[in-house]
């Protein structure tokens, strides 16, 4: 009996021992596996605001599906541009994925900041609105993908437009806009609100007006075309609009139009999501200066594109993330939390339009949109132009003098 008990105890000890060894092996293997998975980490440099918010909403499902962790770092517009450039110049390779404003394309490609997506076997599909793709290529190679369809629209207050005797369908030209703003100003409110807080905002706010007269800031060779008849006509119209309102920063501008303090303003879909019961809504500019006049593409792109820095150490994982967030179904799902895809499958989807009817306007604006000039010196360009325009707006210079001075200064800057 004692022998049987000893044999049982010895057997139990061996069982417990081997069970412990097996458990330790499984635990160690599991920890090593987790470590391997956690090693798959990519860092995203994003434009803060609704643009980064949309991507952050998509990250959990991506991480779960691909076992790739994402670290998000958010920056202001100028902060993001400088951060990506600084990281490239210092060769840190801190970022694997980044958002890019179209106006940086020339600077980034000239300095080899971005990886070629074509070399990574990625191409854009036909569901993406064609005009939004133009900024994404350099020397016939793809470097960016249009992610967030930000484009200028005309913000308007429904009640004030109605009080001026107009329906939305009757706002067909700059003349109509000016008339509504003058009536509103005469009655009791501001008419046109404009962004006059920075030189960049002054210029961009004005560009849809300029395009509606068939003008532009440069020719096909990026030579300045500021001192022209089209530019003078557009500037004259802009001054008339400004007379009905005042300058404002973004939040003040939105509040004024939404609260019936102002009739209209140039804005962006990313600023505001109207509902059927909202006091404020937006429409795409027709590109006409006068009723019955010629229509031009007059909506300015502020599209946030996405790409991969050339010094990324995790290009394969970064490409997986880019492909994921650019996927049709993923982009369609992003609409629920503020996404504005540049895809027909999202912007013309019947179910989406039932809930977000303004996406029909966004689609029209994107189809008739224009990118800002692709030039390395664009920040210097808009600073000079904005400074001269501000002096005209303040009455310190007349239109002829201000635009003549701007033309000379811009030519000197571009030739330097």
């Amino acid at each position: 009996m004692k022998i049987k008990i000893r044999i049982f105890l010895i057997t139990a000890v061996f069982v417990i021992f081997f069970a412990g060894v097996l458990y330790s092996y499984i635990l160690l293997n599991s920890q090593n596996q987790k470590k391997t998975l956690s090693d798959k980490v990519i860092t995203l440099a994003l434009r803060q605001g609704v643009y980064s918010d949309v991507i952050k909403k998509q990250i959990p499902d991506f991480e779960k599906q691909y076992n790739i962790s994402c670290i998000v770092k958010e920056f202001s517009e100028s902060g993001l541009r400088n951060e990506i450039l600084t990281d490239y110049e210092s060769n840190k390779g801190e970022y694997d994925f980044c958002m890019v404003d179209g106006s940086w394309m020339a600077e980034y490609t000239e300095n080899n900041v971005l990886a070629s997506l074509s070399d990574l076997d990625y191409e854009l599909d036909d569901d993406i609105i064609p005009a939004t793709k133009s900024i994404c290529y350099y020397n016939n190679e793809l470097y960016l993908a249009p992610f967030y369809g930000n484009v200028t629209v005309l913000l308007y207050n429904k009640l004030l437009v109605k009080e001026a005797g107009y329906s939305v369908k009757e706002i067909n030209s700059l003349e109509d806009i000016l008339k509504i703003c003058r009536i509103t100003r005469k009655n009791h409110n501001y008419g046109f609100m404009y962004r006059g807080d920075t030189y960049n905002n002054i210029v961009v706010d004005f560009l849809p007006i300029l395009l509606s007269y068939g003008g532009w800031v440069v020719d096909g060779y990026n030579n300045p075309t500021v001192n022209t008849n089209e530019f003078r006509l557009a500037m004259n119209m802009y001054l008339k609009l400004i007379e009905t309102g005042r300058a404002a920063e973004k939040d003040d501008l939105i509040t004024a139009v939404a609260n019936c303090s102002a009739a209209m303003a140039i804005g962006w879909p990313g600023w505001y999501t109207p509902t059927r019961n909202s006091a404020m809504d937006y429409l795409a500019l027709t590109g006409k200066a006068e009723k019955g006049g010629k229509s031009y593409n007059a909506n300015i792109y502020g599209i946030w594109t996405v790409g991969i820095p050339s010094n990324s150490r995790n290009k394969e994982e970064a490409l997986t993330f880019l492909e994921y967030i650019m996927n049709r179904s993923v982009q369609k799902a992003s609409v629920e939390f503020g996404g504005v895809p540049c895809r027909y499958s999202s912007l013309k989807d019947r179910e989406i339009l039932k809930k977000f009817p303004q996406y029909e306007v966004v689609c029209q604006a994107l189809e008739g949109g224009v990118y800002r000039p692709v030039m390395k010196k664009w920040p210097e360009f808009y600073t000079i132009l904005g400074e001269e325009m501000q002096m005209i707006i303040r009455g310190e210079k007349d239109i002829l003098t201000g635009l003549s001075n701007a033309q000379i200064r811009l030519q000197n800057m571009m030739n330097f």
Side-chain angles (χ1 to χ4, degrees), residues 25-256:
Y25 172 78
I26 293 172
L27 180 63
L28 181 62
N29 186 60
S30 175
Q31 289 174 338
N32 287 336
Q33 185 178 21
K34 286 181 179 179
K35 184 179 179 183
T36 301
L37 291 177
S38 66
D39 283 344
K40 291 184 178 181
V41 178
I42 57 174
T43 301
L44 319 178
L46 307 181
R47 169 68 165 92
Q48 66 186 19
V50 65
Y51 321 106
S52 59
D53 291 344
V54 170
I55 288 183
K56 287 189 293 184
K57 290 279 189 179
Q58 296 168 320
I59 287 176
D61 286 340
F62 169 78
E63 291 178 327
K64 183 178 180 180
Q65 184 173 342
Y66 292 96
N67 292 322
I68 299 173
S69 298
C70 298
I71 298 173
V72 174
K73 295 191 177 182
E74 300 175 78
F75 304 91
S76 65
E77 181 175 351
S78 60
L80 177 59
R81 171 181 168 269
N82 294 333
E83 183 70 18
I84 299 300
L85 283 172
T86 301
D87 183 74
Y88 172 77
E89 291 168 354
S90 62
N91 200 29
K92 290 181 179 179
E94 183 176 352
Y95 303 106
D96 304 299
F97 175 94
C98 59
M99 300 189 84
V100 178
D101 183 83
S103 63
W104 309 342
M105 183 59 165
E107 183 177 27
Y108 277 20
T109 51
E110 185 175 323
N111 292 306
N112 196 35
V113 173
L114 299 170
S116 168
L117 297 180
S118 296
D119 288 346
L120 297 173
D121 294 324
Y122 179 79
E123 287 297 334
L124 300 175
D125 59 70
D126 293 338
D127 182 47
I128 298 173
I129 295 174
T132 67
K133 301 179 186 180
S134 62
I135 199 73
C136 300
Y137 291 87
Y138 176 73
N139 288 341
N140 296 319
E141 288 196 40
L142 181 70
Y143 286 87
L144 298 169
F147 173 73
Y148 194 99
N150 216 22
V151 60
T152 54
V153 290
L154 181 70
L155 302 175
Y156 67 91
N157 183 280
K158 298 176 183 178
L159 177 61
L160 296 180
V161 166
K162 186 177 180 180
E163 282 187 357
Y166 272 79
S167 68
V168 175
K169 293 182 179 180
E170 292 174 322
I171 306 174
N172 293 316
S173 67
L174 296 180
E175 280 188 342
D176 295 321
I177 294 171
L178 178 59
K179 185 175 180 180
I180 292 169
C181 289
R182 280 178 167 171
I183 292 172
T184 304
R185 180 58 174 161
K186 183 179 179 180
N187 287 344
H188 47 78
N189 302 87
Y190 287 114
F192 185 80
M193 303 287 282
Y194 73 100
R195 289 208 292 167
D197 50 339
T198 69
Y199 293 141
N200 182 46
N201 287 340
I202 290 172
V203 172
V204 174
D205 200 72
F206 167 75
L207 291 181
I209 312 299
L210 175 61
L211 285 166
S212 296
Y213 282 91
W216 194 226
V217 290
V218 292
D219 62 17
Y221 301 96
N222 277 345
N223 297 312
T225 55
V226 170
N227 193 21
T228 62
N229 186 54
E230 292 82 7
F231 208 110
R232 288 189 287 271
L233 289 171
M235 194 69 215
N236 185 58
M237 170 59 78
Y238 197 54
L239 292 180
K240 291 178 180 178
L241 286 168
I242 287 174
E243 286 176 358
T244 71
R246 63 176 177 85
E249 295 184 2
K250 182 190 79 172
D251 292 342
D252 185 19
L253 181 149
I254 295 170
T255 300

Side-chain angles (χ1 to χ4, degrees), residues 329-343:
S329 58
V330 172
Q331 290 216 308
K332 184 179 289 187
S334 77
V335 171
E336 290 293 331
F337 39 85
V340 184
C342 296
R343 290 186 172 279

